[in-house]
Structures are given as structure tokens and as C-alpha cells.
Amino acid sequence: MAEEKELRYDPATIEPKWQARWAADPGMYAAEPHSCGKPKYYVLEMLPYPSGALHMGHVRNYSIGDALARHMWMRGYNVMHPMGWDAFGLPAENAALKNNTPPREWTLANIAAMKRQFERLGMGFDWATEVTTCFPDYYKWNQWFFLRMYEKGLAYRKKSKVNWCPDCATVLANEQVIDGRCWRHEDTIVEQRDLVQWFLRITAYAQELLDGLDKLHGWPEKVRTMQRNWIGRSEGTEVDFFLQEGIDEGLAKKEKGEGETRIRVFTTRVDTIFGATSLQLAPEHALVTSLAANDAGLREQVAKLLEEQKKARESGDIGEIEKHGIPTGRFAINPYSGELVPIWVANYVLSDYGTGAIMSVPGHDARDFEFAKKYAIPVRRVIAPADPHAEEPELPWTSEDGVLVNSGEFNGLSCSQAQKKLQEIASSKGFGEATVTFRLKDWGVSRQRYWGTPIPMIHCERDGIVPVPDEQLPVLLPEQIEITQQGGSPLSRVADFVNVTCPKCGGAARRETDTMDTFVDSSWYFYRYIDAKNASAPFGSEAAQYWFPIDQYIGGVEHAILHLIYSRFWTKMMRDLGMITNDEPVERLFTQGMVIKDGAKMSKSKGNVVSPDDMVARYGADSARMYALFAAPPDRDLDWQEDGVAGVSRFLGRVWRIVTKYAPVCRTAANDQSKTQDDGAVAKKLLRKLHQTTAKITLDFEGRWHFNTCVAAIMELVNEIQAADAQLAAGEVSAPVIHELLETLVLLLAPFAPYLAAELWEELGGDGAVLRQAWPKSDPSLAKEDEIEIPVQINGKLVSVVRVPAGSDAKVIEATALADDKVKARIAGKSIAKTIVVPGRAVNLVLHPSDKDPSPGTPVVK
């Protein structure tokens, strides 16, 4: 009989012991050389912003990735599992204002604190590859990339209307405005301002970004749909309407480059152009500005439309704006029909979408119809059902499944035929062309902040904009600086930073004082991990060729538009620089659910965070981690309950007790070469459950990632082992079987509770680190059930369930079903027309129609 240890499970003793051992082994979590011969596996969780402390929402995300990394190590893969810090950003400047702490000092203190938390949680990161984006050895390469993009025309500067957050006191990219509010300050309405800004030409890759989504089979469809919608491809036609002076005169002026006599519109429905009864221009359209220059009344009315548009943009509901317009008194000529159409200015037309002008076809567009009804603009039908006998549909009729009417020589053409024909005419006569537009806009990367990467450009009065030479990189941030939220970038007030010699002419010049959007930092950081100490390049191409694409990326769905679309663009840009060969950075993406507490997402700003430090102190790191994986499927939201952590802790205590109780038996059996298969019924039952559990967990890691059911399966296995405790203690189960049971249990537990698994592995006398052990394999012959349950139906209704030996043929199953008392009672006095047996699944007895079953059972869902 095994000796029972009178020791309790004490994570406060066990976990620091193993934390110290792992820290003393720098190769513990390090990837092996590319030549190791093992298949590679790059698993990565999105890097955190060092805000001060981790909370349990973070723990859930990193526990998912760490469990996967540990499993893949045990499966024999060469695993890359790094960690770093998205260290630039606004909160550091806010802390400087609030606490009078320099951003660098605040950031590095937070990094140190969070790193201690990660280490205490037992996360298996290779800290030798750590990346900190606020260090010059990282942001130097942000600047290097910017210069390469500038050389290729992908980085440029222009004046534009930008999103301005009053709380951030800086510009936001379009993707950082959520429902008219700042992505960081959910209650702050974003304003519109005109500023000269730096942009990255992400639109140059719009089509490729869209097409690439079809190849990302390992990404959630929700994320791919969000990106498709954001890219927003529209196929249509650009058409020139001409001012009333005439088409021929307008074309002649256009050829000579004289005047602005044309109004170019973009439409996806050029087939409806004969139904255009007005043009609407954006309040900021160049023609409107020209007309209003000499018309004070028009100028005043346009200003009102602009103010309405600004308020609608800031509130995030521009699509729902109450539509207002004003007639200019001018007319344009429809180039197809020659008809004069009035020119209006409308508040719902945006200057930065399409051409800033639309043709209004109220008969076939709901928005145009609403505007026309409001201002008594004519409504004309130009599309009708193809069937001449069909009832005329009520206007506006927006279907494209029809034919043209009231459209001159094009009458009778289908919509698609007319679109093609009209495009050909526009192209041949020089007043339009088929075109594609995108909702995606170029990425505005200028920020009027201090704590970010300085943009490596110089402003020279003689030579204009001059790039900083590569040999002068990095352009360093000054460390001692006064942080305010007034007067533009804080860097503009640092003379030693601003005043510089022009590298081209040698004269006095000024540095660019805007810094880069911090999403630049996170667009390529995962490439730096693979070659983090490289001083001569962002990373080596050979390393990138080996490790990319990332095999598994893990993070929140809130990054679907911002980070994930930017990183895809950055990868394509680097490919075109010849640095890499992969088109996409990530093969598989997993978006985990949120941790909810008090009805809201756990976050510092909501004041509802739970510190992992508290959970570790009370229950241990393994319990905190395992609860985060057990409480809900990883892709679903988790409703935080501390009682659940306590329950997991109690379970781990049971594992501790059962393994340590029989550890002496296992150590003895480790050298016993006899087979583990035992003839006893208890042993067979335990081995069956063990191999079923192994098969289930292995399958879950390979596909569904239902780690909650993995943990539940381990719990069921432990329950069965404990239920057989008396038989184990009495020697009814052989030592080799006990050894296999407990050794495999510990290995299955290792990805989820690494501290306890390491301790119990040592307790069992295992050689080497548990992380380096081979993942257990399930033996199908041992996992197979002796008996299985077969539902029996009569006329499709469930009446009973019978048990038969596993693998029974149809005759045995049918005989067993017919011998069942419930079945016999139901078919007494009746004749069976047909017996359907699906081996291993079900039996269905079909009675003759004249024989009715007086007591139908419950339908079975097959």
C-alpha cells in the first residue's frame, strides 16, 4: 500500500522554487537554431502597452498563448515565443503631467513591474528576444522604414482635414475614431481640423489588402469581414458634367488647362445617369469655393452647411445627418443627354469621399429621393422591370435587375449592359472612365506628441523637405522635456532638437517636430523578435524566411482594423523592399473573448480590474491561469468569479494529493519493463479514460481550442482515479498502470498548470524538465469502450437505449434491441415492416402503417 504524504498543496512554496530554477536556465524557452531539424512554430500574443500592471484580462490572453507554446514544445517543435513592450504612447505623457514623472522613467518602471508579474505567472517567454519600442535600437528602424517609404513615394506630406482629440491634444487616424469618439477616450468627441500632416500611402496596397483576405483561411471570418468593409471597394464610373458654357468649349479648355469647367462625379450606377435631375457638391468642393468667393449670401449658407457637417462628423453619425442643401443658381450639362441639371451644395456630400460631387438620381437612390422630395427636385424613372407586363415598382427602386427606360438610345439595355456601354462612350469621348474607389484612406501618421518616434525629416528654407541621412539615424528623442498639452508638439519648444544643419546645403534648418503614430511601432515588431540584437538591419532576411509567417497570433478583436490592417500593409511594403518573401505576416489568428466584471469589460479606465498579484497570493499562479482557461471557451467572454479560482485551486490540491500519495509506487515502477496493460476491470477502465482524455486534449489543441473542456476532461480523469483510490491502495491495479496514469496526467496538465506539473514530474522521478518531455499519445485500442449505448426508435420516436459490446454487427444490435423490455411492450401484437440498423449509432423499427404506436416517445435529433 502506498504511503500517504501528510503535506498539503502549497503553491506559495512550489511556484517560487520553479520560478527561480527556470530563471537560472536562459535556454529554457529559447528557440533552437534554424538547422535543428525540427518543424518551426511561431506563437505570439499581441504585445502589451506598459500601463503599470497586468490584470486578469491580460492573464487570459497570455495564458492561451503560453498553453499553446508549451504544448508545441512537447510536440517536438522549435518554438518561438517572445515578448516585448509597445512602449510609446499617450498615457506616458499624461502620467508626466499628472505625476511630474518623465515618460521614459514612468514607462521603464511599468515594464519592470509587468515583467515581474509575467515571470511570477510562469509565462514561458524567451526574454533574450525582448523588444522595447521606445528604445533607440528599435525606433531607429521605424525611421529607416519611413525614409525608404519616402523614397518610394509611400510617405508624403499634405494639408488635410484631420481628426483631433482635445484630450489627447493630437491627430487621430480615421481608424482611431470610433463612432465619432476617440479610441482612447470613449466619451471625448473628435473634432475636425485642417493641418499639414505626414501620411503613408496605404491605399497603394488597397486592392492587394482586399484580395489577400481570401487567402487568410486561418483568420476569423468576423475579422476578415471587418477589414473588407473598412477597405470598402466600389466599382463604378467617373463622369464629367460641364458647366453651362458647353461641352465642346469645356473640353477645349480642359485640353489647354484653362479654368475649372467640369465637375467630375463618381457613381456606381452610371446606367441611371439619364435620371440625374441635379448635382450635389460638398461644401468644400473647389467649384463651391470659387462660386462663393463673389457671393456673400452663398458663402454664408455654405458656412452653415459646413458647420452642420462638422457636428455630424464629430458625433459619429454623418450618415444620419439631416439633409440640407442650397442651390447655386448654376447648371451643368449631362454629357450623355445634353440636359441641363441644377447644381446644389449639400451637407451630406463629403469632400474626402470619391470626388466630392455626386449626381442625384432620386428615382433610384433612397438618399437622393429624400433630398429631392424635400426640395421639390424632379424624380424620374429610368430603370424598369425587364418583364413589360410586370407592375411598375414604387420609387425609389434601387434594383439592378431591370432594363433602361427614358434613356434615349440605351432603352431596353440591361443595367449591366448599359454600364459597360456608357463607360466605353465616356472613355472614347474623353469625359469619363471606369474606375474603382476605396473607402480606405491613406494613413495619417503625424502626432503632435513627444513620446513617440521622431519623424526623420528636415525643413530647409533653400531645399525644402530633406530626409535625414541613414548614417545620422536614429534621430534621438531628448530626454528632459517639458510636457504640456498646448502649443503643438512639445518637441517644437526644444531648441537643441529643432535647430539643425541641413544635410543637403549645409545651411540652418529645422527638424520635423511631429512624432509617428504608435501603431507604426506595432506594425512590424514581430519581425524584430526573430533577430532582436541586429545592429545593422531591422532583422535578417534569412531569419524572416525561416520564421514567417507567424503560425499563431493571439489578441483582441478590437485590433481588427487598426493594428491588423497596418501590419499587413507593412509586410507587403517590406516584401517590395526585398526584405522578405511572405505576403502576409500571420497564418492563423485567434481573437479571445473579454473578461467581464460588474457587467463591463475589465479595464483600468473602468476601475473594475482584478490584479493577478492578488490571485497568485491567495491561490497560486497555476490556479489563476487555469481558471482563465477553464471558465469559458477562449473565444467567448468570461464572466469573472473569484470563487472559480478557488475551485480550481481545490482541484489542483486533489491532483497534488493523489500524485504524491502514489509517487513512491511510480518511482519503483519506472524501472519495471512489464506491460502497463492489466487484465483487471478497474485498470482497464482507468486506462480507457486516460487514453480518451489524451485523445480529446490533443484534438482540441490541434483544432477547436476548447481549453475549458480540456481542463474539464482532466478533472473527470482525476475523479475516476480518485474513485478507484481504494483499489489502487489495495494493489488491485499494478504499479506500471499507476505509473502510466499519473505520469500521463502530469504531462497533460503541463500546458495549463506548469508549476504544479514541474513539481509533480520531479516527485514522480521524471528525468529532465517536464516541458521537454514528449506529449503523450493515445492508444485507440485502449481508448475504445467495451460497451456502447445504442438508441432504439420506433417509427422515428425514441423508446429505449440498449448497451451492446463495442464493434457489434447489425444482427447483434438488432437482436439486443428486440429483446429490450420497453421495445417488446411497444411492438407487442404489431408487425415490423422494416428494421434499420446503423452500427454504432441507432436502431429504427418501422411498423406497418396499420399498426399505430399508441404511445409515441421523444423525437431523436440525429
Side-chain angles (χ1 to χ4, degrees):
M1 178 175 177
E3 292 183 19
E4 189 164 354
K5 272 195 166 186
E6 294 300 327
L7 295 175
R8 66 181 182 87
Y9 169 55
D10 183 13
T13 300
I14 293 170
E15 293 180 353
K17 164 189 164 181
W18 286 101
Q19 181 185 342
R21 286 197 194 178
W22 295 339
D25 181 2
M28 181 74 180
Y29 301 119
E32 297 178 57
H34 306 167
S35 59
C36 67
K38 297 179 179 180
K40 68 94 178 176
Y41 197 85
Y42 190 172
V43 55
L44 183 66
E45 306 94 289
M46 293 178 185
L47 83 174
Y49 180 80
S51 58
L54 299 173
H55 57 67
M56 286 304 300
H58 296 117
V59 172
R60 188 186 195 199
N61 179 40
Y62 296 110
S63 294
I64 292 169
D66 197 59
L68 179 61
R70 290 176 183 277
H71 174 75
M72 298 310 288
W73 266 308
M74 297 175 74
R75 291 281 296 273
Y77 283 76
N78 183 19
V79 177
M80 166 74 74
H81 189 215
M83 180 47 59
W85 312 98
D86 192 8
F88 274 139
L90 177 67
E93 291 194 40
N94 290 342
L97 286 167
K98 183 177 180 180
N99 306 319
N100 197 28
T101 304
R104 178 183 174 88
E105 181 181 325
W106 183 84
T107 300
L108 296 186
N110 288 347
I111 287 174
M114 293 172 73
K115 188 172 181 178
R116 283 193 298 271
Q117 287 181 298
F118 273 137
E119 290 172 338
R120 181 61 187 86
L121 285 163
M123 297 296 174
F125 300 133
D126 180 8
W127 291 108
T129 64
E130 183 179 7
V131 163
T132 304
T133 62
C134 68
F135 285 175
D137 67 353
Y138 184 83
Y139 69 72
K140 168 185 178 177
W141 301 112
N142 287 345
Q143 296 170 346
W144 184 88
F145 279 122
F146 189 94
L147 294 174
R148 301 293 81 78
M149 285 190 275
Y150 182 75
E151 292 167 358
K152 290 186 171 294
L154 294 175
Y156 67 95
R157 195 168 180 256
K158 70 172 183 178
K159 185 176 183 179
S160 71
K161 189 171 293 297
V162 297
N163 307 303
W164 181 270
C165 174
D167 284 354
C168 296
T170 193
V171 169
L172 304 177
N174 290 332
E175 293 85 351
Q176 294 165 324
V177 180
I178 311 297
D179 296 329
R181 288 168 169 74
C182 175
W183 71 294
R184 286 193 182 277
H185 303 99
E186 296 175 1
D187 297 324
T188 301
I189 294 176
V190 172
E191 300 173 357
Q192 299 291 304
R193 294 191 181 183
D194 290 309
L195 292 175
V196 176
Q197 299 286 290
W198 284 99
F199 290 83
L200 299 183
R201 205 180 303 274
I202 191 173
T203 53
Y205 290 88
Q207 187 62 54
E208 189 179 354
L209 288 167
L210 183 64
D211 292 342
L213 293 170
D214 293 333
K215 302 174 186 176
L216 297 177
H217 305 298
W219 285 42
E221 185 56 37
K222 178 181 180 180
V223 173
R224 294 197 292 171
T225 298
M226 290 170 73
Q227 289 207 4
R228 283 192 190 97
N229 293 341
W230 187 259
I231 295 168
R233 186 181 193 275
S234 296
E235 295 182 8
T237 312
E238 286 189 352
V239 178
D240 292 332
F241 283 69
F242 293 87
L243 292 183
Q244 192 175 354
E245 56 193 3
I247 295 179
D248 293 336
E249 183 181 352
L251 285 171
K253 281 190 172 185
K254 179 183 174 184
E255 290 176 2
K256 295 178 182 179
E258 297 177 2
E260 183 64 37
T261 60
R262 66 191 176 96
I263 303 170
R264 174 153 286 207
V265 304
F266 171 78
T267 175
T268 60
R269 293 293 307 276
V270 71
D271 54 306
T272 66
I273 198 165
F274 283 83
T277 54
S278 68
L279 293 187
Q280 266 97 57
L281 308 185
E284 293 174 292
H285 193 281
L287 179 59
V288 175
T289 303
S290 175
L291 294 176
N294 301 312
D295 186 334
L298 179 61
R299 192 162 58 247
E300 182 180 348
Q301 289 177 301
V302 168
K304 290 180 181 178
L305 295 181
L306 271 172
E307 185 61 27
E308 292 169 0
Q309 193 176 89
K310 177 184 175 183
K311 288 180 180 178
R313 281 181 184 263
E314 291 175 352
S315 64
D317 63 350
I318 187 68
E320 301 301 320
I321 188 172
E322 183 180 350
K323 296 168 182 59
H324 292 147
I326 49 175
T328 65
R330 302 294 296 271
F331 291 82
I333 302 171
N334 185 322
Y336 292 100
S337 67
E339 179 184 9
L340 289 176
V341 294
I343 301 171
W344 286 66
V345 186
N347 64 354
Y348 69 94
V349 182
L350 307 178
S351 62
D352 57 357
Y353 184 78
T355 63
I358 65 168
M359 66 176 202
S360 180
V361 184
H364 303 283
D365 182 276
R367 185 180 61 173
D368 295 347
F369 184 83
E370 179 187 346
F371 189 87
K373 284 298 184 183
K374 184 170 187 175
Y375 291 104
I377 297 172
V379 179
R380 184 183 305 150
R381 181 188 302 278
V382 293
I383 306 293
D387 181 356
H389 304 294
E391 183 179 347
E392 275 197 346
E394 184 180 351
L395 297 180
W397 192 51
T398 60
S399 172
E400 292 187 52
D401 185 20
V403 295
L404 272 65
V405 296
N406 302 320
S407 299
E409 62 184 286
F410 306 100
N411 284 344
L413 293 179
S414 69
C415 292
S416 60
Q417 289 172 332
Q419 287 172 9
K420 185 177 180 181
K421 184 70 173 176
L422 291 164
Q423 286 173 348
E424 290 172 351
I425 292 172
S427 179
S428 66
K429 294 190 175 183
F431 61 76
E433 59 189 347
T435 190
V436 173
T437 64
F438 293 92
R439 180 175 181 265
L440 178 71
K441 304 301 179 186
D442 283 339
W443 177 8
V445 294
S446 288
R447 298 294 179 268
Q448 294 67 48
R449 307 297 302 180
Y450 159 67
W451 194 234
T453 300
I455 293 176
M457 305 302 284
I458 291 170
H459 301 277
C460 174
E461 289 189 8
R462 176 178 169 179
D463 293 308
I465 296 175
V466 180
V468 173
D470 284 2
E471 60 270 19
Q472 294 182 16
L473 299 181
V475 176
L476 293 170
L477 277 177
E479 292 197 13
Q480 299 300 322
I481 187 169
E482 180 185 6
I483 305 293
T484 70
Q485 288 186 318
Q486 299 176 350
S489 169
L491 290 173
S492 64
R493 296 187 292 275
V494 182
D496 289 345
F497 177 83
V498 174
N499 298 321
V500 66
T501 299
C502 174
K504 189 172 182 180
C505 73
R510 292 175 60 84
R511 283 197 192 281
E512 173 64 65
T513 57
D514 283 356
T515 54
M516 296 185 199
D517 180 8
T518 54
F519 278 99
V520 168
D521 307 326
S522 59
S523 291
W524 70 279
Y525 74 99
F526 29 68
Y527 287 91
R528 185 65 176 172
Y529 280 145
I530 64 173
D531 200 4
K533 308 304 180 188
N534 194 328
S536 59
F539 53 85
S541 293
E542 182 183 348
Q545 183 73 24
Y546 177 80
W547 284 110
F548 277 84
I550 295 166
D551 295 280
Q552 185 66 64
Y553 199 28
I554 302 166
V557 73
E558 65 270 21
H559 300 292
I561 299 302
L562 292 162
H563 163 58
L564 289 171
I565 205 166
Y566 292 153
S567 62
R568 294 183 63 223
F569 156 67
W570 208 275
T571 286
K572 297 176 191 305
M573 177 271 295
M574 292 192 299
R575 178 205 60 201
D576 290 348
L577 290 176
M579 300 175 66
I580 57 176
T581 59
N582 53 294
D583 296 325
E584 298 285 350
V586 174
E587 183 77 20
R588 293 182 65 199
L589 173 71
F590 183 82
T591 54
Q592 85 282 354
M594 297 181 292
V595 175
I596 306 297
K597 184 174 183 288
D598 303 329
K601 174 186 175 182
M602 190 177 286
S603 85
K604 191 174 181 181
S605 63
K606 290 182 169 48
N608 65 344
V609 299
V610 174
S611 169
D613 297 350
D614 295 339
M615 296 300 99
V616 170
R618 293 177 199 170
Y619 308 107
D622 281 344
S623 296
R625 291 171 53 134
M626 203 163 174
Y627 169 75
L629 298 174
F630 173 60
D635 58 336
R636 306 283 182 84
D637 290 348
L638 183 159
D639 191 13
W640 173 259
Q641 300 290 338
E642 185 176 335
D643 288 348
V645 187
V648 171
S649 178
R650 289 191 295 270
F651 166 70
L652 293 179
R654 292 167 55 205
V655 174
W656 162 265
R657 287 189 294 274
I658 196 73
V659 174
T660 54
K661 177 177 180 179
Y662 293 99
V665 174
C666 295
R667 288 195 293 269
T668 301
N671 297 319
D672 189 336
Q673 299 302 311
S674 62
K675 293 182 179 179
T676 58
Q677 200 157 356
D678 195 295
D679 291 335
V682 173
K684 288 182 69 174
K685 182 180 179 183
L686 290 172
L687 286 172
R688 182 185 307 119
K689 188 65 175 179
L690 178 71
H691 285 267
Q692 289 173 347
T693 304
T694 301
K696 173 180 175 42
I697 295 174
T698 303
L699 184 63
D700 275 344
F701 267 112
E702 291 175 348
R704 338 182 284 168
W705 279 24
H706 287 186
F707 296 148
N708 57 316
T709 62
C710 289
V711 175
I714 294 174
M715 291 178 173
E716 290 176 10
L717 173 62
V718 171
N719 288 342
E720 292 222 11
I721 295 172
Q722 283 196 311
D725 187 28
Q727 290 91 336
L728 268 63
E732 295 179 23
V733 177
S734 68
V737 170
I738 296 175
H739 180 249
E740 182 182 353
L741 282 170
L742 299 186
E743 181 179 81
T744 305
L745 168 62
V746 170
L747 294 175
L748 294 176
L749 195 63
F752 309 107
Y755 282 123
L756 180 59
E759 179 71 10
L760 294 178
W761 183 253
E762 184 176 71
E763 188 72 21
L764 291 172
D767 293 328
V770 68
L771 186 67
R772 300 305 180 201
Q773 306 309 309
W775 183 254
K777 294 181 179 180
S778 174
D779 184 336
S781 66
L782 295 177
K784 186 178 179 180
E785 291 281 358
D786 287 342
E787 287 188 333
I788 57 173
E789 292 185 339
I790 301 290
V792 182
Q793 304 171 50
I794 296 178
N795 291 342
K797 307 287 186 177
L798 177 67
V799 296
S800 187
V801 176
V802 297
R803 295 187 65 83
V804 298
S808 296
D809 61 21
K811 289 184 177 181
V812 172
I813 296 172
E814 180 182 355
T816 306
L818 293 173
D820 181 78
D821 290 341
K822 292 181 180 178
V823 174
K824 287 194 292 184
R826 293 289 182 88
I827 64 175
K830 302 179 178 66
S831 58
I832 298 173
K834 187 177 182 181
T835 301
I836 303 170
V837 179
V838 182
R841 295 289 300 278
V843 176
N844 187 21
L845 305 177
V846 181
L847 304 181
H848 279 291
S850 59
D851 295 324
K852 295 182 179 180
D853 181 9
S855 179
T858 305
V860 171
V861 179
K862 294 184 180 178

